[in-house]
Amino acid sequence: MSASNRPSNTPASSIPSTGAWSVQSWKSFPSVQQPLYPDQTALAQALSQLSSLPPLVTSYEIESLKTQFAEASRGERFILWGGDCAENFSDCTSAAIASKLKILLQMSLVLVHGTRKRITRIGRFAGQYAKPRSTATEVRDGVELPSFRGDNVNRPEFTLAARTPDPLLLLRGYERSALTLNFIRALVDGGFADLHHPENWDLSFVAHSPLAADYQRMVDSIGESLRFMETLAGGTITQMQRVDFYTSHELLLLDYEAALTRQVPRREGWFNLSTHLPWIGMRTNAVDGAHIEFCRGIRNPIGVKVGPDTVPEVLLRTVRTLSPDNEPGRVVLASRFGAHAIGRGLPPLVRAVRDAGLRVAWVCDPMHGNTETVVPTTGAWAGKSVKTRKFGHVLAEVEQAFEVHRQEGTILAGAHIELTGEDVTECTGGARGLTDEDLSRSYRSQVDPRLNYEQALELAMLIARRA
Ligand code: PEP
Ligand code: CO
């Protein structure tokens, strides 16, 4: 039976401890979070089409991102990794894509200014369409249906037809990823990210922001330095005319990832060409599980979430399994403890990895350990439970991550943030002091709450002082 056919959390009957890797070897390992497709013929047809379609990214880009992670792990650059918790197919619009690039560009400008380091920008985009769920089914008024697992698995409406996993959505997800990437590449090639023209990245509401003046000062100061350098160099510094964006998504649906995993001419090994940086989430990071087995055989850098349940010895096994040659830039550990737990939880993991001599890039995800539920007392959402995060907790977790790494003599290589370039009210706090009562005003996320444009920029300003 294929893993996609097995109910979640059911172990495979025999688990080879070591053995030859193949694109399908994960199927003999326990897999969780895989949708149950009732129509296996339709699934096979969708996967066969996916396997023959062109890749979304190239092995060259993947290797270059790995090199950048190696540099970041030595403190030579900083990784800015951010985007929506989940993308929706309906967000594949020119405005939504451009605003994601704009906020990442603005944050990276602030970070360059403050840290004097090169910045690598990675979006949670062009493929972030599948979500892990804490329960396989959802019950409403006594009716039990499969949980909504993201736009490339099923549909959110609470009907049997909508919630039944549909393999055609895998193709629609691949296409949306390609459309998103096509637009990003065209914008970058057309000079959208040119440091000579940061006005291209202005978001309409920036001018009214309490942070506008600080931001403008940084833009002006970078512009002046650039003009000074170009006067000395006697011409335009062309490297400043473009910056690259890399893509990432949670590597969740193994059938989909396997269909886009290929060999390429003149390079050894297998590359997952669905994204530059796949990551393994908290719910699928079992060291003997199918997700780690799949990832051990691909050459991409691999993100792994670590948190309160991560045991140091198991983490060492995970890193050694993924990177038997201890390759710099290959393993990216994203810690997500929450502001109240990081001080206790992170140091033992950092020490274990450091003392074992394992090369990893440590990144802080200050979002996923800080989710809480509040009940507003006024407004449209009075009396309802709403998922939110406090800006103060997000900031406190990043600051503690810097402090832990400083004390342990290791390096914080980057930050992983759920954010949007839009003016939403999903997280509270920040310069504008959003409260629980503001949440109902513009809460758009179907999943986790994101920092809005201002909160994201403010976080970048505060990180810039520490990194
Ligand atoms: C996520 O990054 O959206 C996510 C689900 O994170 P985690 O696996 O850390 O809970
Ligand atoms: Co999330």
Side-chain angles (χ1 to χ4, degrees):
M1 202 196 311
S2 83
S4 55
N5 229 352
R6 255 192 329 262
S8 287
N9 303 316
T10 305
S13 48
S14 67
I15 304 169
S17 50
T18 53
W21 181 90
S22 80
V23 183
Q24 305 299 344
S25 58
W26 58 270
K27 289 190 171 171
S28 356
F29 288 72
S31 65
V32 289
Q33 299 284 344
Q34 303 305 292
L36 297 172
Y37 290 97
D39 188 344
Q40 288 288 304
T41 313
L43 175 64
Q45 279 166 357
L47 295 176
S48 146
Q49 275 194 48
L50 277 173
S51 333
S52 61
L53 287 166
L56 296 171
V57 301
T58 66
S59 61
Y60 170 81
E61 294 163 342
I62 289 172
E63 289 294 353
S64 115
L65 180 60
K66 202 159 43 177
T67 305
Q68 295 186 27
F69 269 114
E71 291 168 0
S73 67
R74 297 192 296 264
E76 296 160 15
R77 59 165 73 232
F78 194 77
I79 306 288
L80 173 63
W81 180 6
D84 297 303
C85 183
E87 290 178 283
N88 302 321
F89 288 176
S90 60
D91 277 349
C92 188
T93 64
S94 139
I97 296 167
S99 79
K100 285 178 213 188
L101 299 191
K102 286 176 180 180
I103 182 60
L104 289 176
L105 281 167
Q106 293 198 357
M107 290 175 82
S108 63
L109 184 131
V110 167
L111 289 167
V112 165
H113 187 259
T115 64
R116 315 277 153 174
K117 287 181 187 170
R118 284 169 301 166
I119 308 294
T120 297
R121 284 150 295 267
I122 306 173
R124 286 174 64 115
F125 53 44
Q128 177 55 9
Y129 293 118
K131 293 307 293 174
R133 301 310 306 260
S134 40
T135 52
T137 59
E138 182 183 341
V139 180
R140 283 193 206 170
D141 300 328
V143 179
E144 184 173 12
L145 292 176
S147 295
F148 174 56
R149 290 181 180 273
D151 278 0
N152 62 354
V153 175
N154 52 4
R155 299 172 179 86
E157 299 81 52
F158 197 72
T159 65
L160 181 60
R163 291 294 178 92
T164 302
D166 178 355
L168 276 182
L169 295 176
L170 295 173
L171 285 160
R172 299 292 91 82
Y174 162 88
E175 290 153 6
R176 286 290 195 279
S177 304
L179 294 170
T180 304
L181 254 172
N182 179 57
F183 188 48
I184 293 174
R185 292 186 192 281
L187 283 175
V188 168
D189 287 345
F192 178 77
D194 187 343
L195 204 49
H196 299 86
H197 294 288
E199 68 277 6
N200 287 347
W201 328 329
D202 274 351
L203 289 148
S204 53
F205 38 89
V206 176
H208 312 291
S209 163
L211 308 169
D214 271 358
Y215 177 71
Q216 198 51 48
R217 256 195 304 279
M218 290 183 208
V219 170
D220 293 344
S221 138
I222 289 184
E224 252 170 55
S225 312
L226 197 56
R227 280 190 294 281
F228 176 68
M229 296 285 293
E230 291 185 338
T231 308
L232 290 185
T236 308
I237 303 176
T238 49
Q239 289 97 314
M240 299 299 155
Q241 288 176 318
R242 63 170 287 143
V243 299
D244 291 319
F245 286 90
Y246 292 92
T247 64
S248 70
H249 65 246
E250 178 166 352
L251 180 138
L252 193 65
L253 305 176
L254 290 161
D255 279 322
Y256 175 83
E257 304 295 342
L260 285 156
T261 294
R262 317 268 166 88
Q263 286 181 298
V264 298
R266 291 180 298 284
R267 267 188 215 275
E268 277 197 15
W270 292 79
F271 289 84
N272 180 348
L273 300 175
S274 76
T275 191
H276 299 113
L277 172 66
W279 84 82
I280 304 176
M282 272 316 273
R283 295 173 186 76
T284 49
N285 67 4
V287 65
D288 292 317
H291 290 78
I292 296 278
E293 168 62 16
F294 179 75
C295 286
R296 97 180 154 92
I298 58 178
R299 297 203 42 86
N300 306 55
I302 307 289
V304 183
K305 294 285 195 92
V306 302
D309 298 334
T310 309
V311 175
E313 298 71 47
V314 179
L315 180 60
L316 297 185
R317 269 183 66 204
T318 303
V319 176
R320 290 189 175 114
T321 304
L322 291 174
S323 188
D325 303 331
N326 210 7
E327 183 188 3
R330 157 76 171 165
V331 177
V332 180
L333 298 179
S335 65
R336 31 86 81 219
F337 284 89
H340 302 294
I342 181 174
R344 231 179 13 261
L346 183 59
L349 299 183
V350 168
R351 280 180 214 137
V353 171
R354 180 199 63 196
D355 295 347
L358 299 182
R359 293 186 174 127
V360 304
W362 282 102
V363 167
C364 174
D365 165 359
M367 310 304 293
H368 288 90
N370 287 314
T371 317
E372 57 187 274
T373 304
V374 297
V375 183
T377 53
T378 57
W381 287 12
K384 299 210 173 93
S385 295
V386 191
K387 250 209 267 186
T388 188
R389 291 163 174 154
K390 291 190 171 64
F391 182 83
H393 290 167
V394 171
L395 177 61
E397 182 158 0
V398 182
E399 292 198 318
Q400 288 181 71
F402 275 114
E403 190 50 29
V404 167
H405 286 288
R406 195 188 60 74
Q407 283 185 4
E408 302 301 335
T410 48
I411 284 177
L412 182 65
H416 176 133
I417 320 280
E418 283 185 347
L419 53 80
T420 166
E422 285 159 45
D423 204 5
V424 300
T425 55
E426 298 171 4
C427 294
T428 56
R432 222 177 260 268
L434 293 183
T435 67
D436 294 352
E437 311 308 320
D438 290 313
L439 293 175
S440 61
R441 200 147 42 78
S442 184
Y443 195 108
R444 295 190 216 145
S445 174
Q446 281 180 334
V447 270
D448 290 339
R450 303 159 296 174
L451 296 185
N452 65 21
Y453 159 75
E454 265 177 22
Q455 293 166 328
L457 196 61
E458 185 176 358
L459 186 68
M461 289 180 177
L462 297 165
I463 293 177
R465 291 196 198 131
R466 290 296 308 254

